[in-house]
C-alpha cells in the first residue's frame, strides 16, 4: 500500500479550508486543518505533516511568524497562500524559507502542481532528479545540458552567453519553483553582488529572444510579477 502524503492546511476560513481539503483528498492526499497560527505550530510537531499549506492572514498571528517558527527547527516544505497584489509579502515569505506560494483565488490544478513540485524538491538531493540522473533537463523542445553548459532548442545550441546560461541552468535546477530576483542574483554572482534586477531583466530579454518561440508569450520561463521567475516543469516527471 502506498503511504499517502499528509498535508497540513493552515486556514481560518472554513469554506476555503473545506474546498482545499476536498481537492487534496480527491488527489490522494491526507489533509489536516489548523485554524490559527498556534494550532498550526502545535500540529506540525504532533502530526509531522509532509507539507504545510500556509495562509498568511490568520486570526491570532501573522502567517510569516508561523513560517519563521517552523523554519527554526524544520525544513519541511511550506507553500504560502497569499492574496494577489501582495508581491512584497510573497518575496519576504520566500526569503524567509517558504518553498513556493500560490495566489488566491487559485484552481485545483495549480494548487496540486505547486504541492507536487514542493514535495519532489525535498526528496531529491540535487533538487531535480532528472538532472541528477542524466545531467540534462528537458521540457518541451528545450534541453539544458549541464555537462556541456549548453541550452538546446530542438537539439540546436541556442548560443547563450555565460550569464544567460547560468540563469537558465539555475531555473532548470529548480524547475516548477519560483526563484526570487534576489535569490538568483545571490546564487549566480555571490552575496556581495549588487542587487540590481535590471541586469537580470536585460539577460532575461536576451534569453527569451533565443529560446522562446513566440515573442510576448513565454512557454518556458515565466515572469512572476514583482517576485521573480519560474521555469516550466515537465508534467510527466
Ligand atoms: Ca485567512
Amino acid at each position: 500500500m502506498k503511504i499517502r502524503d499528509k498535508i497540513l492546511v493552515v486556514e481560518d476560513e472554513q469554506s476555503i479550508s473545506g474546498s482545499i481539503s476536498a481537492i487534496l483528498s480527491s488527489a490522494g492526499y491526507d489533509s489536516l486543518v489548523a485554524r490559527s497560527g498556534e494550532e498550526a505550530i502545535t500540529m506540525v510537531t504532533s502530526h509531522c505533516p509532509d507539507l504545510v499549506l500556509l495562509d498568511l492572514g490568520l486570526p491570532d498571528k501573522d502567517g510569516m511568524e508561523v513560517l519563521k517558527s517552523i523554519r527554526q527547527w524544520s525544513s519541511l516544505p511550506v507553500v504560502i497562500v497569499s492574496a494577489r497584489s501582495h508581491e512584497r509579502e510573497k518575496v519576504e515569505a520566500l526569503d524567509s524559507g517558504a518553498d513556493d506560494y500560490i495566489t488566491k483565488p487559485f484552481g485545483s490544478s495549480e494548487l496540486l502542481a505547486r504541492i507536487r513540485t514542493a514535495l519532489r524538491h525535498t526528496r531529491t538531493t540535487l533538487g531535480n532528479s532528472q538532472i541528477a540522473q542524466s545531467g540534462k533537463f528537458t521540457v518541451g523542445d528545450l534541453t539544458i545540458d549541464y555537462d556541456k553548459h549548453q541550452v538546446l532548442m530542438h537539439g540546436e545550441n541556442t548560443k547563450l552567453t555565460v550569464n544567460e546560461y547560468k540563469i537558465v541552468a539555475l531555473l532548470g535546477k529548480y524547475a516548477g519553483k519560483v526563484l526570487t530576483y534576489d535569490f538568483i542574483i545571490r546564487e549566480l554572482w555571490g552575496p556581495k553582488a549588487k542587487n540590481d534586477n535590471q541586469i537580470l531583466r536585460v539577460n532575461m530579454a536576451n534569453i527569451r529572444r533565443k529560446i522562446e518561440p513566440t515573442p510576448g508569450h513565454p512557454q518556458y520561463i515565466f515572469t512572476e510579477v514583482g517576485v521573480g521567475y519560474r521555469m516550466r516543469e515537465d508534467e510527466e516527471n
Side-chain angles (χ1 to χ4, degrees), residues 181-232:
Y181 300 121
D182 283 7
F183 177 83
I184 297 170
I185 291 167
R186 273 185 280 116
E187 285 290 306
L188 297 188
W189 298 299
K192 287 184 185 152
K194 196 161 148 249
N195 188 352
D196 185 354
N197 298 353
Q198 187 57 27
I199 295 169
L200 207 50
R201 286 209 189 88
V202 169
N203 276 292
M204 190 53 72
N206 291 330
I207 291 166
R208 285 185 167 139
R209 252 194 303 279
K210 294 176 186 180
I211 69 165
E212 296 286 359
T214 321
H217 295 279
Q219 290 178 26
Y220 294 101
I221 298 173
F222 307 113
T223 298
E224 301 273 332
V225 178
V227 179
Y229 298 108
R230 184 193 303 271
M231 168 78 79
R232 183 177 133 198

Coordinates of all heavy atoms in Angstrom, one line a residue, residues 181-232:
Y181 N 14.2 37.4 -7.5 CA 15.3 38.1 -8.2 C 16.5 38.0 -7.3 O 17.6 37.7 -7.7 CB 14.9 39.5 -8.4 CG 13.7 39.7 -9.3 CD1 12.5 40.4 -8.9 CD2 13.7 39.2 -10.6 CE1 11.4 40.5 -9.7 CE2 12.6 39.4 -11.4 CZ 11.5 40.0 -11.0 OH 10.4 40.2 -11.8
D182 N 16.3 38.3 -6.0 CA 17.5 38.3 -5.1 C 18.2 37.0 -5.0 O 19.4 36.9 -4.9 CB 17.0 38.7 -3.6 CG 16.7 40.2 -3.5 OD1 16.8 40.9 -4.6 OD2 16.5 40.7 -2.4
F183 N 17.4 35.9 -4.9 CA 17.9 34.6 -4.8 C 18.8 34.3 -6.1 O 19.9 33.8 -6.0 CB 16.8 33.5 -4.7 CG 17.3 32.1 -4.7 CD1 17.8 31.5 -3.5 CD2 17.3 31.3 -5.9 CE1 18.2 30.2 -3.5 CE2 17.8 30.0 -5.8 CZ 18.3 29.5 -4.7
I184 N 18.3 34.6 -7.2 CA 19.0 34.4 -8.5 C 20.3 35.1 -8.5 O 21.4 34.6 -8.8 CB 18.1 34.7 -9.7 CG1 16.9 33.8 -9.8 CG2 19.0 34.6 -11.0 CD1 15.9 34.2 -10.8
I185 N 20.2 36.4 -8.1 CA 21.4 37.3 -8.2 C 22.5 36.7 -7.2 O 23.7 36.6 -7.5 CB 21.0 38.7 -7.9 CG1 20.2 39.3 -9.0 CG2 22.3 39.6 -7.6 CD1 19.5 40.6 -8.8
R186 N 22.0 36.4 -6.0 CA 23.0 35.9 -5.0 C 23.6 34.5 -5.4 O 24.8 34.3 -5.2 CB 22.3 35.7 -3.6 CG 22.3 37.0 -2.8 CD 21.7 36.8 -1.4 NE 20.2 36.8 -1.4 CZ 19.5 35.8 -1.1 NH1 20.0 34.6 -0.7 NH2 18.2 35.9 -1.2
E187 N 22.8 33.7 -5.9 CA 23.3 32.3 -6.3 C 24.3 32.5 -7.5 O 25.3 31.7 -7.5 CB 22.1 31.4 -6.8 CG 21.3 30.9 -5.7 CD 22.0 29.8 -4.9 OE1 22.5 28.9 -5.5 OE2 22.0 30.0 -3.7
L188 N 24.1 33.4 -8.4 CA 24.9 33.5 -9.6 C 26.1 34.3 -9.4 O 27.2 34.0 -9.9 CB 24.1 34.0 -10.8 CG 22.9 33.1 -11.2 CD1 22.4 33.6 -12.5 CD2 23.4 31.6 -11.4
W189 N 26.0 35.4 -8.7 CA 27.1 36.4 -8.6 C 27.6 36.6 -7.2 O 28.3 37.5 -6.9 CB 26.6 37.7 -9.3 CG 26.3 37.4 -10.8 CD1 27.2 37.0 -11.7 CD2 25.1 37.6 -11.4 NE1 26.6 36.8 -12.9 CE2 25.3 37.2 -12.8 CE3 23.8 38.0 -11.0 CZ2 24.2 37.3 -13.7 CZ3 22.8 38.1 -12.0 CH2 23.0 37.7 -13.3
G190 N 27.1 35.8 -6.2 CA 27.6 35.9 -4.9 C 26.9 36.9 -4.0 O 26.1 37.7 -4.5
P191 N 27.0 36.7 -2.7 CA 26.3 37.5 -1.7 C 26.6 39.0 -1.8 O 25.8 39.8 -1.3 CB 26.7 36.9 -0.3 CG 28.0 36.2 -0.6 CD 28.0 35.8 -2.0
K192 N 27.7 39.4 -2.3 CA 28.1 40.8 -2.4 C 27.6 41.4 -3.7 O 27.9 42.6 -3.9 CB 29.6 41.0 -2.2 CG 30.0 40.7 -0.8 CD 31.5 41.0 -0.6 CE 31.9 40.6 0.8 NZ 33.3 40.2 0.9
A193 N 27.0 40.7 -4.6 CA 26.6 41.2 -5.9 C 25.6 42.3 -5.7 O 24.8 42.3 -4.7 CB 26.0 40.1 -6.7
K194 N 25.7 43.3 -6.5 CA 24.8 44.4 -6.5 C 23.4 43.9 -6.8 O 23.2 43.2 -7.7 CB 25.2 45.5 -7.5 CG 24.5 46.8 -7.3 CD 25.3 47.9 -8.1 CE 24.3 49.0 -8.5 NZ 24.1 49.1 -9.9
N195 N 22.5 44.3 -5.9 CA 21.1 43.8 -6.0 C 20.4 44.6 -7.1 O 19.6 45.5 -6.9 CB 20.4 44.0 -4.7 CG 19.0 43.3 -4.7 OD1 18.5 42.9 -5.7 ND2 18.4 43.2 -3.6
D196 N 20.7 44.2 -8.4 CA 20.2 45.0 -9.5 C 19.4 44.2 -10.4 O 19.9 43.4 -11.2 CB 21.4 45.6 -10.2 CG 21.0 46.5 -11.4 OD1 19.8 46.6 -11.6 OD2 21.9 47.2 -12.0
N197 N 18.1 44.3 -10.3 CA 17.2 43.5 -11.1 C 17.3 43.8 -12.6 O 16.9 43.0 -13.4 CB 15.7 43.7 -10.7 CG 15.5 43.2 -9.3 OD1 16.4 42.6 -8.6 ND2 14.3 43.4 -8.7
Q198 N 17.8 45.0 -12.9 CA 17.8 45.5 -14.3 C 18.8 44.5 -15.1 O 18.4 44.2 -16.2 CB 18.4 46.9 -14.3 CG 18.3 47.6 -15.7 CD 16.9 47.5 -16.3 OE1 15.9 47.5 -15.6 NE2 16.8 47.5 -17.6
I199 N 19.9 44.1 -14.5 CA 20.8 43.3 -15.2 C 20.1 41.9 -15.5 O 20.3 41.4 -16.6 CB 22.1 43.0 -14.3 CG1 22.8 44.3 -14.2 CG2 23.0 41.9 -15.0 CD1 24.0 44.3 -13.1
L200 N 19.4 41.5 -14.5 CA 18.6 40.2 -14.7 C 17.6 40.4 -15.8 O 17.4 39.5 -16.7 CB 18.0 39.9 -13.4 CG 17.7 38.4 -13.0 CD1 18.9 37.6 -13.3 CD2 17.2 38.3 -11.6
R201 N 16.9 41.5 -15.8 CA 15.8 41.7 -16.8 C 16.4 41.7 -18.2 O 15.9 41.2 -19.2 CB 15.1 43.0 -16.6 CG 14.2 42.9 -15.4 CD 13.0 43.8 -15.5 NE 12.2 43.8 -14.3 CZ 12.5 44.6 -13.2 NH1 13.5 45.5 -13.3 NH2 11.9 44.5 -12.1
V202 N 17.6 42.4 -18.4 CA 18.2 42.5 -19.7 C 18.6 41.1 -20.2 O 18.4 40.7 -21.3 CB 19.4 43.5 -19.6 CG1 20.3 43.4 -20.9 CG2 19.0 44.9 -19.4
N203 N 19.3 40.4 -19.3 CA 19.6 39.0 -19.6 C 18.4 38.2 -20.0 O 18.5 37.4 -20.9 CB 20.4 38.3 -18.5 CG 21.9 38.7 -18.5 OD1 22.6 38.2 -19.3 ND2 22.3 39.5 -17.5
M204 N 17.3 38.3 -19.2 CA 16.1 37.5 -19.5 C 15.5 37.9 -20.9 O 15.1 37.0 -21.6 CB 15.1 37.7 -18.4 CG 13.9 36.8 -18.4 SD 14.4 35.0 -18.5 CE 15.0 34.8 -16.8
A205 N 15.6 39.2 -21.2 CA 15.0 39.5 -22.5 C 15.9 38.9 -23.6 O 15.3 38.4 -24.6 CB 15.1 41.1 -22.7
N206 N 17.2 38.8 -23.4 CA 18.0 38.1 -24.5 C 17.8 36.6 -24.5 O 17.8 36.0 -25.5 CB 19.5 38.4 -24.2 CG 19.8 39.9 -24.4 OD1 19.2 40.5 -25.3 ND2 20.8 40.4 -23.6
I207 N 17.6 36.0 -23.3 CA 17.4 34.6 -23.2 C 16.1 34.3 -24.0 O 16.0 33.4 -24.8 CB 17.2 34.1 -21.7 CG1 18.6 34.2 -21.0 CG2 16.7 32.7 -21.7 CD1 18.5 34.1 -19.5
R208 N 15.1 35.1 -23.7 CA 13.8 34.8 -24.3 C 13.8 34.9 -25.8 O 13.2 34.2 -26.6 CB 12.7 35.8 -23.8 CG 12.3 35.3 -22.4 CD 11.2 36.1 -21.8 NE 10.6 35.5 -20.6 CZ 10.2 36.2 -19.6 NH1 10.4 37.5 -19.5 NH2 9.7 35.5 -18.5
R209 N 14.6 35.9 -26.3 CA 14.8 36.0 -27.8 C 15.4 34.8 -28.4 O 15.0 34.4 -29.5 CB 15.7 37.2 -28.1 CG 14.9 38.4 -28.7 CD 15.9 39.4 -29.3 NE 16.9 39.9 -28.4 CZ 16.6 40.9 -27.5 NH1 15.4 41.5 -27.5 NH2 17.6 41.3 -26.7
K210 N 16.2 34.1 -27.6 CA 16.9 32.9 -28.1 C 16.1 31.6 -27.9 O 16.3 30.7 -28.7 CB 18.3 32.8 -27.4 CG 19.3 33.9 -27.8 CD 20.6 33.8 -27.1 CE 21.4 35.1 -27.4 NZ 22.7 35.0 -26.7
I211 N 15.3 31.5 -26.9 CA 14.7 30.2 -26.6 C 13.2 30.2 -26.8 O 12.6 29.2 -27.0 CB 15.0 29.7 -25.2 CG1 14.3 30.5 -24.1 CG2 16.5 29.6 -25.0 CD1 14.3 29.9 -22.7
E212 N 12.5 31.4 -26.7 CA 11.0 31.4 -26.7 C 10.6 31.5 -28.1 O 11.0 32.4 -28.9 CB 10.4 32.5 -25.9 CG 10.7 32.4 -24.4 CD 9.9 31.3 -23.7 OE1 9.1 30.6 -24.3 OE2 10.1 31.2 -22.4
P213 N 9.7 30.6 -28.6 CA 9.2 30.6 -30.0 C 8.3 31.8 -30.3 O 8.4 32.3 -31.4 CB 8.4 29.3 -30.1 CG 8.3 28.7 -28.8 CD 9.2 29.4 -27.8
T214 N 7.5 32.3 -29.3 CA 6.6 33.4 -29.6 C 6.9 34.6 -28.7 O 6.7 34.5 -27.5 CB 5.1 32.9 -29.4 OG1 5.0 31.6 -29.8 CG2 4.1 33.8 -30.1
P215 N 7.3 35.7 -29.4 CA 7.6 36.9 -28.5 C 6.4 37.3 -27.7 O 5.3 37.3 -28.3 CB 8.0 37.9 -29.6 CG 8.3 37.2 -30.8 CD 7.5 35.9 -30.8
G216 N 6.6 37.6 -26.5 CA 5.5 38.1 -25.6 C 4.7 37.0 -25.0 O 3.8 37.3 -24.1
H217 N 4.9 35.8 -25.4 CA 4.1 34.7 -24.8 C 5.1 33.5 -24.4 O 5.2 32.5 -25.0 CB 3.1 34.1 -25.8 CG 2.0 35.1 -26.1 ND1 0.9 35.3 -25.3 CD2 1.9 36.0 -27.1 CE1 0.2 36.3 -25.8 NE2 0.7 36.7 -26.9
P218 N 5.8 33.7 -23.3 CA 6.8 32.7 -22.9 C 6.1 31.4 -22.6 O 5.1 31.3 -22.0 CB 7.3 33.3 -21.6 CG 6.7 34.6 -21.3 CD 5.7 34.9 -22.3
Q219 N 6.8 30.4 -23.1 CA 6.4 29.0 -22.9 C 7.3 28.2 -21.9 O 7.0 27.2 -21.4 CB 6.3 28.2 -24.2 CG 5.2 28.7 -25.1 CD 5.3 27.9 -26.4 OE1 5.7 26.8 -26.5 NE2 4.7 28.6 -27.4
Y220 N 8.5 28.8 -21.7 CA 9.5 28.1 -20.8 C 9.8 28.8 -19.5 O 9.9 28.2 -18.5 CB 10.7 27.8 -21.7 CG 10.5 26.9 -22.8 CD1 10.3 27.3 -24.1 CD2 10.3 25.5 -22.5 CE1 10.0 26.4 -25.1 CE2 10.0 24.6 -23.6 CZ 9.9 25.1 -24.9 OH 9.6 24.2 -25.9
I221 N 10.1 30.1 -19.6 CA 10.4 30.8 -18.4 C 9.3 31.9 -18.2 O 9.1 32.8 -19.0 CB 11.8 31.5 -18.5 CG1 12.8 30.4 -18.6 CG2 12.1 32.3 -17.2 CD1 14.2 30.9 -18.9
F222 N 8.6 31.8 -17.0 CA 7.5 32.7 -16.8 C 8.0 33.7 -15.8 O 8.7 33.5 -14.8 CB 6.3 31.9 -16.2 CG 5.9 30.7 -17.0 CD1 6.1 29.4 -16.6 CD2 5.4 30.9 -18.3 CE1 5.7 28.3 -17.4 CE2 5.0 29.8 -19.1 CZ 5.2 28.6 -18.6
T223 N 7.4 34.9 -16.0 CA 7.7 36.0 -15.0 C 6.6 36.0 -14.0 O 5.4 35.9 -14.3 CB 7.6 37.4 -15.7 OG1 8.7 37.4 -16.7 CG2 7.8 38.5 -14.8
E224 N 7.0 36.0 -12.7 CA 6.1 36.2 -11.6 C 6.2 37.6 -11.2 O 7.2 38.0 -10.6 CB 6.5 35.3 -10.4 CG 6.5 33.8 -10.8 CD 5.1 33.1 -10.6 OE1 4.3 33.6 -9.8 OE2 4.9 32.1 -11.3
V225 N 5.3 38.4 -11.6 CA 5.4 39.9 -11.5 C 5.8 40.3 -10.0 O 5.1 39.9 -9.1 CB 4.1 40.6 -11.9 CG1 4.2 42.1 -11.8 CG2 3.8 40.3 -13.4
G226 N 6.9 41.1 -9.9 CA 7.3 41.7 -8.7 C 8.0 40.6 -7.8 O 8.4 41.0 -6.7
V227 N 8.1 39.4 -8.2 CA 8.7 38.3 -7.4 C 9.9 37.7 -8.0 O 11.0 37.7 -7.4 CB 7.6 37.2 -7.1 CG1 8.3 36.1 -6.2 CG2 6.4 37.8 -6.4
G228 N 9.8 37.2 -9.2 CA 10.9 36.5 -9.8 C 10.5 35.7 -11.1 O 9.6 36.1 -11.8
Y229 N 11.3 34.6 -11.3 CA 11.0 33.8 -12.5 C 10.8 32.3 -12.1 O 11.2 31.9 -11.0 CB 12.2 33.8 -13.4 CG 12.5 35.2 -14.0 CD1 13.6 35.9 -13.5 CD2 11.7 35.8 -14.9 CE1 13.9 37.2 -14.0 CE2 12.0 37.1 -15.4 CZ 13.1 37.7 -15.0 OH 13.4 39.0 -15.4
R230 N 10.0 31.6 -13.0 CA 9.7 30.2 -12.7 C 9.9 29.5 -14.1 O 9.4 29.9 -15.1 CB 8.3 30.1 -12.3 CG 7.9 28.7 -11.9 CD 6.3 28.6 -11.7 NE 5.8 29.5 -10.7 CZ 5.6 29.1 -9.4 NH1 6.0 28.0 -9.0 NH2 5.1 30.0 -8.6
M231 N 10.7 28.4 -14.0 CA 10.9 27.6 -15.2 C 9.8 26.5 -15.3 O 9.4 26.0 -14.3 CB 12.2 26.9 -15.2 CG 12.5 25.8 -16.2 SD 12.9 26.3 -17.8 CE 14.6 26.7 -17.6
R232 N 9.2 26.3 -16.5 CA 8.2 25.3 -16.7 C 8.7 24.0 -16.3 O 9.9 23.7 -16.5 CB 7.7 25.4 -18.1 CG 6.6 24.4 -18.5 CD 6.3 24.6 -19.9 NE 6.1 23.3 -20.6 CZ 6.2 23.2 -21.9 NH1 6.4 24.3 -22.7 NH2 6.0 22.0 -22.5

